Amino acid sequence: MARGRIDLESLITHRVRLTEINEALTQMRTGEALRTCIEI
């Protein structure tokens, strides 16, 4: 944490495209992914 800022990049566990949203939701439900970033 530099200058009172949190490094959010390190908190993201997975990145998916909007077209892959259903797979991302499944991963989150099963616990495979915890913090997913949806890229538009």
Side-chain angles (χ1 to χ4, degrees):
M1 200 160 84
R3 297 184 187 187
R5 295 179 184 222
I6 299 172
D7 177 20
L8 297 178
E9 190 69 30
S10 67
L11 299 177
I12 297 170
T13 59
H14 291 77
R15 292 181 177 275
V16 296
R17 293 187 163 274
L18 185 58
T19 57
E20 301 168 330
I21 189 69
N22 291 328
E23 292 87 356
L25 291 172
T26 299
Q27 289 176 338
M28 291 174 67
R29 285 188 194 110
T30 61
E32 183 181 337
L34 300 176
R35 293 170 298 270
T36 301
C37 178
I38 301 166
E39 297 178 340
I40 299 174

